[in-house]
Amino acid sequence: MSLPKRIIKETERLMAEPVPGISAVPHDDNLRYFNVTIDGPSQSPYEGGTFKLELFLPEDYPMTPPKVRFLTKIYHPNIDRLGRICLDVLKANWSPALQIRTILLSIQALLGAPNPDDPLANDVAQRWKEDQNAAIDTAKEWTAKYATA
Amino acid sequence: MFSGYTQLSIRILTSLPLPCSPSVPLVATVNLPTPPPYTRQPTETGLTPCLYCQPSRQNRCLAHPATTTCNQQRERLPVLVILRRDLGLPPVSTTLPRRSSRKRKPSSDHSASTGVNPPPRKKVDVSGAQRLKKAALPATPTTLGSTAMDSDDEFSGHSSMEGFEEDAFDSDMSDELVSDMEVDADAGFDSQDKIIKPGRKAYEVDYRVYSPAEIRAYQNDQINDVSRILEQPPEATAILLRHARWSKERLIESYMDNQEQVLEESGLGEDSAGPPRFQQIKGFVCEICCEDEEGMDTFAMKCGHRFCANCYKQYLAQKVKDEGEAAHIKCPGDGCNRIVDSKSVDLLVSTDLKDRYQTLLIRTYVDDKENLKWCPAPNCEYAIDCGVKPRELATVVPTVRCKCSHDWCFGCTLNDHQPAPCRLVRKWLKKCEDDSETANWISAHTKECPKCQSTIEKNGGCNHMTCRKCRHEFCWMCMGHWQEHGNSWYNCNRYEEKSGSEARDAQAKSRQSLERYLHYYNRYANHEQSARLDKDIYLKTEKKMTQLQSSSGMSWIEVQFLEGASQALQQCRQTLKWTYAFAYYLARNNQTEIFEDNQKDLEMAVENLSEMFEKPADQLKDLKGDMMDKTSYCNKRRIILLEVTAERLKQGESHRSDFGTSEANSRAGAWEFNTDLSA
């Protein structure tokens, strides 16, 4: 199966001019599958951590959004135990004009600005709202425990 | 000139053999509204009377609800009068002199039958009637003779179209016409004067069935209307209207107030490019597929987000086909809220997708409008327009019949549940879901603790029970205190025991409510099941009918009574079923008894008919008359029951605030319920 020009171009650009703090490398035997790492944004509980994700471009891409999932455990109200992410641009607000690059930037931004009002992991979100400091401490703990090599 | 009501007092003879009206000729006084332009073919004009019409029903027929034409009053009543006139026959006993003999132009009646207003007449009141009559005038004289005129002997043999044109009545003989009619009427049927009241039965509601094509036409009319007012192209108006949920007034008002905001919110933000069209642009790279071929077609809407035509097409196809989107497809550009209009879609997608797109649009149209609902029957594509608002549902049960002959409630889209109002139905169904089987089991296997009334299942052989909840010790057999059994540990073979009997009383009381529920539930369920069985028989009916045709030499039309009977059974059982749910929630008083009497009558009628229905085919022939009688009796009982119930229900309207519970309701003659249905 030939790879659409769009995916080739995107991949080339990701390699040639990588986004600081983000890397996305396609799998050798499946060019639609990417190994992704995102650095925790500074001034966030995830600072200093490097989070691994997987990203898959489905058959209909770019008409349908890519599938992205965290592989590293993370304590975040919008990311659940399985690493699934609650992010509008990955669902209803996807536009075919968006790219892997922009999606990964959105995810990085989500790490910097958790939104407990629209939660995926209810327990985390509740804690986040009730006792934000404690929640942030846990997030830092988890980052140190799971996201640092 | 013809707008509004044409007040007319006509007394007309009619003797159409209608199954739902007495076969005697009726003399009627009616207020005739100006009829809509008629477009029906003469052969259809009311001469084969509709089996489903009620004589007093003014607006719509259950069998062809989509047509306003199956309207017996308009069609049937005027028929005779015109006939004699238009066919050039002398009135029965005209004592009035004719003033003029100016011939009527044939074209004028033509215009009436094709829906064009007739030329103005001198007298308002009669021209309306004339138009009406001409509309109803059948062109085939033979049919006339056979149906409409058999009561008027002098007409037979005179029916020809020549007569109709030559001796047709003149345009200004208005006075005579009216008085003539009275004379005709008075000629022989004085004693049978009967007033036909305009209006419908208490349990019926106004509605109309629309086919998808009609809805589409209706929608487009609405769009074009508003489009002219707002001076926006139709495709943009459609988007605006959809955003305003088809409330024309609200849209126009807000549009006039703040045009830009409305446009922005609806997804028609400011224009930054020309009208949507294909363009070839040098050096263009599509942001979606990264193609940069020379001479590639590109497309952008007014928002200016330009992509290659292929990507645009693929995007729309994906939305329409896979996601079932139509009304809310946004521009593929990131963060752009502009809605893709129908014109752009037409430019970009293939024919089959266009159809799908239109279907989806109509679907959202119906979903958006409160007065429109899709028929819930599987594979049915009709929608029904009914004006009953959700808040009226406490007092009205809006049962409608779709063209696919599915009866359903417009309020809750469940199957027909007359006479019970929607809330009661919901409550009952929930109770049945929760309770019925469980209740049966509870009733059979458990008893209640005499002290705390918890339900207890006996789990061991010993009769010495200790309630786990309140620690009360009692005897399972006599429900008495265990202490009283004392040392003589088993003595409840003796019947009378004081504490035991009290406990049994208490238990009986609590069981009573359960029993009461089961009483109603069992009957409810029984009718449901019987209706199913009747339906099975109905499927066999067709076979029976062919059998009857071959064995008795009856014609097809002669065996139709079986189908009629079967339909009556289905309908009556459906009604009966819900009367039990209804009765369960009724507070006991005199009205309840009347209700139960009606219920009993209907039930008996239904059982009789049902029994007859199961007879072998060879006996059915002799039972035909009997069966037809019973069928019409069943239908009549059902109508009576529904009417009485619906009228009572309407009474509750003025006391809606304390619906169903207060004494005021009973004084007003409304139903009293033993529970708060508004909860």
Coordinates of all heavy atoms in Angstrom, one line a residue, chain A residues 4-10 59-65 89 91-99 102, chain B residues 285 287-293 307 310-312 314-316 318-319 322-323 330-335:
Chain A
P4 N 0.1 7.9 1.4 CA -0.3 9.2 0.8 C 0.8 10.2 0.9 O 1.6 10.2 1.8 CB -1.5 9.6 1.6 CG -2.0 8.4 2.2 CD -0.8 7.5 2.4
K5 N 0.8 11.1 -0.1 CA 1.8 12.2 -0.1 C 1.8 13.0 1.2 O 2.9 13.4 1.7 CB 1.5 13.1 -1.3 CG 2.6 13.9 -1.7 CD 2.3 14.6 -3.1 CE 3.4 15.5 -3.5 NZ 3.1 16.0 -4.9
R6 N 0.6 13.2 1.6 CA 0.5 14.0 2.9 C 1.3 13.4 4.0 O 2.0 14.1 4.7 CB -1.0 14.1 3.2 CG -1.3 14.2 4.7 CD -1.6 15.7 5.0 NE -1.8 15.8 6.4 CZ -2.8 16.5 7.0 NH1 -3.6 17.2 6.2 NH2 -2.9 16.6 8.3
I7 N 1.2 12.1 4.2 CA 1.9 11.5 5.3 C 3.4 11.6 5.1 O 4.1 11.9 6.0 CB 1.4 10.0 5.5 CG1 -0.1 10.0 5.9 CG2 2.2 9.3 6.6 CD1 -0.7 8.7 6.1
I8 N 3.8 11.3 3.9 CA 5.2 11.4 3.6 C 5.8 12.8 3.9 O 6.8 12.9 4.6 CB 5.5 11.0 2.1 CG1 5.1 9.6 1.9 CG2 7.0 11.2 1.8 CD1 5.1 9.2 0.4
K9 N 5.0 13.8 3.4 CA 5.5 15.2 3.6 C 5.5 15.5 5.1 O 6.5 16.1 5.6 CB 4.5 16.1 2.9 CG 4.7 16.1 1.4 CD 4.9 17.5 0.9 CE 5.4 17.4 -0.5 NZ 5.4 18.7 -1.2
E10 N 4.5 15.1 5.8 CA 4.5 15.4 7.2 C 5.6 14.8 8.0 O 6.3 15.4 8.8 CB 3.2 14.9 7.8 CG 2.1 15.9 7.9 CD 1.0 15.6 8.9 OE1 1.2 15.8 10.1 OE2 -0.1 15.1 8.5
E59 N -6.6 4.7 8.3 CA -6.7 4.7 6.8 C -7.3 6.0 6.3 O -6.8 6.5 5.3 CB -7.7 3.5 6.5 CG -7.9 3.3 5.0 CD -6.6 2.8 4.3 OE1 -5.8 2.2 5.0 OE2 -6.5 3.1 3.2
D60 N -8.2 6.6 6.9 CA -8.9 7.8 6.4 C -8.1 9.1 6.7 O -8.6 10.1 6.3 CB -10.3 8.0 7.0 CG -11.2 6.8 6.7 OD1 -11.0 6.2 5.6 OD2 -12.1 6.5 7.5
Y61 N -7.0 9.0 7.4 CA -6.3 10.2 7.7 C -5.9 10.9 6.4 O -5.5 10.3 5.5 CB -5.0 9.8 8.5 CG -4.2 11.0 8.9 CD1 -4.5 11.7 10.0 CD2 -3.1 11.4 8.2 CE1 -3.7 12.8 10.4 CE2 -2.3 12.5 8.5 CZ -2.6 13.2 9.6 OH -1.9 14.3 10.0
P62 N -6.1 12.2 6.3 CA -6.4 13.2 7.4 C -7.9 13.5 7.5 O -8.2 14.5 8.2 CB -5.6 14.4 6.9 CG -5.7 14.3 5.4 CD -5.7 12.8 5.1
M63 N -8.8 12.7 6.9 CA -10.2 13.0 7.1 C -10.6 12.6 8.5 O -11.5 13.3 9.1 CB -11.0 12.2 6.1 CG -10.8 12.7 4.6 SD -11.0 14.5 4.5 CE -10.1 14.8 3.0
T64 N -10.0 11.6 9.1 CA -10.3 11.3 10.5 C -9.0 11.6 11.3 O -7.9 11.5 10.8 CB -10.7 9.8 10.7 OG1 -9.7 9.0 10.1 CG2 -12.0 9.5 10.0
P65 N -9.2 11.9 12.6 CA -8.0 12.3 13.4 C -7.1 11.1 13.7 O -7.5 10.0 13.6 CB -8.7 12.8 14.7 CG -10.0 12.2 14.7 CD -10.5 12.0 13.3
V89 N -9.6 18.5 19.8 CA -9.1 18.4 18.5 C -8.9 16.9 18.0 O -8.8 16.6 16.8 CB -7.8 19.2 18.2 CG1 -8.2 20.7 18.1 CG2 -6.8 18.9 19.3
K91 N -11.1 14.8 18.6 CA -12.5 14.2 18.3 C -13.3 15.2 17.5 O -13.1 15.3 16.3 CB -13.2 14.0 19.7 CG -12.5 12.9 20.5 CD -13.1 12.7 21.8 CE -12.3 11.6 22.6 NZ -11.4 12.1 23.6
A92 N -14.3 15.8 18.1 CA -15.2 16.6 17.3 C -14.6 17.8 16.5 O -14.9 18.1 15.4 CB -16.3 17.2 18.2
N93 N -13.6 18.4 17.1 CA -13.0 19.6 16.5 C -11.8 19.3 15.6 O -11.0 20.1 15.2 CB -12.5 20.6 17.5 CG -13.7 21.3 18.1 OD1 -14.9 21.1 17.7 ND2 -13.5 22.1 19.1
W94 N -11.7 18.0 15.2 CA -10.6 17.7 14.2 C -10.9 18.3 12.9 O -12.1 18.4 12.5 CB -10.5 16.1 14.1 CG -9.7 15.7 12.9 CD1 -10.1 15.3 11.7 CD2 -8.3 15.8 12.9 NE1 -9.0 15.0 10.9 CE2 -7.9 15.3 11.6 CE3 -7.3 16.2 13.7 CZ2 -6.6 15.2 11.2 CZ3 -5.9 16.1 13.3 CH2 -5.6 15.6 12.1
S95 N -9.9 18.8 12.3 CA -10.0 19.4 11.0 C -8.9 18.7 10.1 O -7.8 18.6 10.6 CB -9.8 20.9 11.0 OG -9.2 21.3 9.8
P96 N -9.2 18.4 8.9 CA -8.1 17.7 8.1 C -7.0 18.6 7.8 O -5.9 18.2 7.4 CB -8.9 17.4 6.8 CG -10.2 18.1 6.8 CD -10.5 18.4 8.2
A97 N -7.2 19.9 8.1 CA -6.0 20.8 8.0 C -5.1 20.8 9.1 O -4.0 21.4 9.1 CB -6.5 22.3 7.8
L98 N -5.4 20.1 10.2 CA -4.5 19.9 11.3 C -3.5 18.8 11.0 O -3.7 18.0 10.1 CB -5.3 19.5 12.6 CG -6.1 20.6 13.2 CD1 -7.0 20.0 14.3 CD2 -5.2 21.6 13.9
Q99 N -2.4 18.8 11.7 CA -1.3 17.8 11.4 C -0.9 17.1 12.7 O -1.2 17.5 13.8 CB -0.1 18.6 10.8 CG -0.5 19.3 9.6 CD 0.7 20.0 9.0 OE1 1.8 19.9 9.5 NE2 0.5 20.8 8.0
T102 N 0.7 19.6 15.0 CA -0.2 20.5 15.7 C -0.9 19.7 16.8 O -1.1 20.3 17.9 CB -1.3 21.1 14.8 OG1 -1.8 20.1 14.0 CG2 -0.7 22.2 14.0
Chain B
V285 N -0.6 24.7 -2.9 CA -0.3 23.4 -2.2 C -1.5 23.1 -1.3 O -1.8 23.9 -0.4 CB 1.0 23.4 -1.4 CG1 1.2 22.0 -0.8 CG2 2.2 23.8 -2.3
E287 N -3.4 21.9 1.7 CA -3.0 21.7 3.1 C -3.3 20.3 3.6 O -2.8 19.9 4.6 CB -3.6 22.8 4.0 CG -2.7 23.4 5.0 CD -3.5 24.4 5.9 OE1 -4.1 25.3 5.3 OE2 -3.6 24.1 7.1
I288 N -4.3 19.7 2.9 CA -4.7 18.4 3.4 C -3.9 17.3 2.8 O -3.4 16.4 3.5 CB -6.2 18.2 3.1 CG1 -7.1 19.2 3.9 CG2 -6.7 16.8 3.4 CD1 -8.5 19.2 3.6
C289 N -3.8 17.3 1.5 CA -3.1 16.2 0.9 C -1.7 16.5 0.4 O -0.9 15.6 0.0 CB -3.9 15.7 -0.3 SG -4.1 16.9 -1.6
C290 N -1.3 17.8 0.6 CA 0.0 18.2 0.2 C 0.3 18.1 -1.3 O 1.5 18.1 -1.7 CB 1.1 17.5 1.0 SG 1.0 17.7 2.7
E291 N -0.7 17.9 -2.1 CA -0.5 17.9 -3.6 C -0.2 19.3 -4.0 O -0.7 20.3 -3.5 CB -1.8 17.4 -4.3 CG -2.1 15.9 -4.3 CD -1.0 15.1 -4.9 OE1 -0.2 15.6 -5.7 OE2 -0.8 13.9 -4.5
D292 N 0.7 19.4 -5.1 CA 1.0 20.7 -5.6 C 1.0 20.7 -7.1 O 1.7 21.5 -7.8 CB 2.3 21.2 -5.1 CG 3.4 20.2 -5.2 OD1 3.1 19.1 -5.8 OD2 4.5 20.5 -4.7
E293 N 0.3 19.7 -7.7 CA 0.2 19.6 -9.1 C -0.2 20.9 -9.8 O -1.1 21.6 -9.2 CB -0.8 18.5 -9.5 CG -0.2 17.4 -10.4 CD -1.2 16.3 -10.5 OE1 -2.0 16.4 -11.4 OE2 -1.2 15.4 -9.7
F307 N -8.8 24.4 -0.4 CA -8.2 23.1 -0.5 C -8.5 22.6 -1.9 O -9.3 23.1 -2.6 CB -8.9 22.2 0.6 CG -8.8 22.7 2.0 CD1 -9.8 23.4 2.6 CD2 -7.6 22.5 2.7 CE1 -9.7 23.9 3.8 CE2 -7.5 23.0 4.0 CZ -8.5 23.7 4.6
N310 N -10.4 17.6 -4.7 CA -10.5 16.2 -4.3 C -10.6 16.0 -2.8 O -11.4 15.3 -2.3 CB -9.2 15.5 -4.8 CG -9.4 15.0 -6.2 OD1 -10.5 14.9 -6.7 ND2 -8.3 14.9 -6.9
C311 N -9.8 16.8 -2.1 CA -9.8 16.7 -0.6 C -11.2 17.2 -0.1 O -11.8 16.6 0.8 CB -8.7 17.5 0.0 SG -7.2 16.7 -0.1
Y312 N -11.7 18.3 -0.7 CA -12.9 18.8 -0.3 C -14.0 17.8 -0.5 O -14.9 17.5 0.4 CB -13.3 20.1 -1.1 CG -13.7 21.2 -0.2 CD1 -12.9 22.4 -0.1 CD2 -14.9 21.2 0.5 CE1 -13.3 23.5 0.7 CE2 -15.3 22.2 1.3 CZ -14.5 23.4 1.4 OH -14.9 24.4 2.2
Q314 N -13.7 14.5 -0.8 CA -13.5 13.4 0.1 C -14.0 13.7 1.5 O -14.6 12.9 2.2 CB -12.0 13.1 0.2 CG -11.7 11.6 0.3 CD -10.2 11.4 0.5 OE1 -9.4 12.2 0.0 NE2 -9.8 10.4 1.2
Y315 N -13.7 15.0 1.9 CA -14.1 15.4 3.3 C -15.6 15.4 3.4 O -16.2 14.9 4.4 CB -13.6 16.9 3.5 CG -14.0 17.6 4.7 CD1 -13.5 17.2 6.0 CD2 -15.0 18.6 4.6 CE1 -13.9 17.9 7.1 CE2 -15.4 19.2 5.8 CZ -14.9 18.9 7.0 OH -15.3 19.5 8.1
L316 N -16.3 15.9 2.4 CA -17.7 16.0 2.4 C -18.3 14.6 2.4 O -19.3 14.2 3.1 CB -18.3 16.8 1.3 CG -18.0 18.3 1.4 CD1 -18.6 19.0 0.2 CD2 -18.6 18.9 2.7
Q318 N -17.0 11.9 3.4 CA -16.7 11.3 4.7 C -17.8 11.7 5.7 O -18.4 10.9 6.5 CB -15.3 11.7 5.2 CG -15.1 11.6 6.7 CD -14.5 10.2 7.0 OE1 -13.9 9.6 6.1 NE2 -14.5 9.8 8.2
K319 N -18.1 13.0 5.7 CA -19.0 13.6 6.7 C -20.4 13.0 6.4 O -21.1 12.6 7.3 CB -19.1 15.1 6.6 CG -17.8 15.8 7.1 CD -17.9 15.9 8.6 CE -16.6 16.4 9.2 NZ -16.5 16.3 10.6
D322 N -20.2 8.6 6.3 CA -19.8 7.9 7.4 C -20.3 8.5 8.7 O -20.6 7.8 9.7 CB -18.2 7.8 7.5 CG -17.7 7.1 6.3 OD1 -18.5 6.4 5.6 OD2 -16.5 7.2 6.1
E323 N -20.4 9.8 8.8 CA -20.7 10.4 10.0 C -22.2 10.9 10.0 O -22.7 11.3 11.1 CB -19.8 11.6 10.3 CG -18.4 11.2 10.6 CD -17.4 12.3 10.7 OE1 -17.8 13.4 11.1 OE2 -16.2 12.1 10.3
K330 N -18.8 21.6 8.9 CA -18.0 22.8 8.9 C -16.9 22.8 7.9 O -16.6 21.8 7.4 CB -17.4 23.0 10.3 CG -18.3 23.4 11.4 CD -17.6 23.6 12.7 CE -18.5 23.9 13.8 NZ -17.9 23.8 15.1
C331 N -16.5 24.0 7.6 CA -15.3 24.1 6.6 C -14.2 23.3 7.2 O -13.9 23.2 8.4 CB -14.9 25.6 6.6 SG -13.3 25.9 6.0
P332 N -13.5 22.6 6.3 CA -12.4 21.7 6.8 C -11.2 22.5 7.4 O -10.4 21.9 8.0 CB -11.9 20.9 5.5 CG -12.6 21.5 4.4 CD -13.7 22.4 4.8
G333 N -11.2 23.8 7.2 CA -10.1 24.5 7.7 C -10.1 24.5 9.3 O -11.2 24.5 9.9
D334 N -8.9 24.5 9.9 CA -8.8 24.4 11.3 C -9.5 25.6 12.0 O -9.1 26.7 11.7 CB -7.4 24.2 11.7 CG -7.2 24.2 13.2 OD1 -8.2 23.7 13.9 OD2 -6.2 24.6 13.7
G335 N -10.4 25.3 12.9 CA -11.0 26.4 13.7 C -12.0 27.3 13.0 O -12.5 28.2 13.5

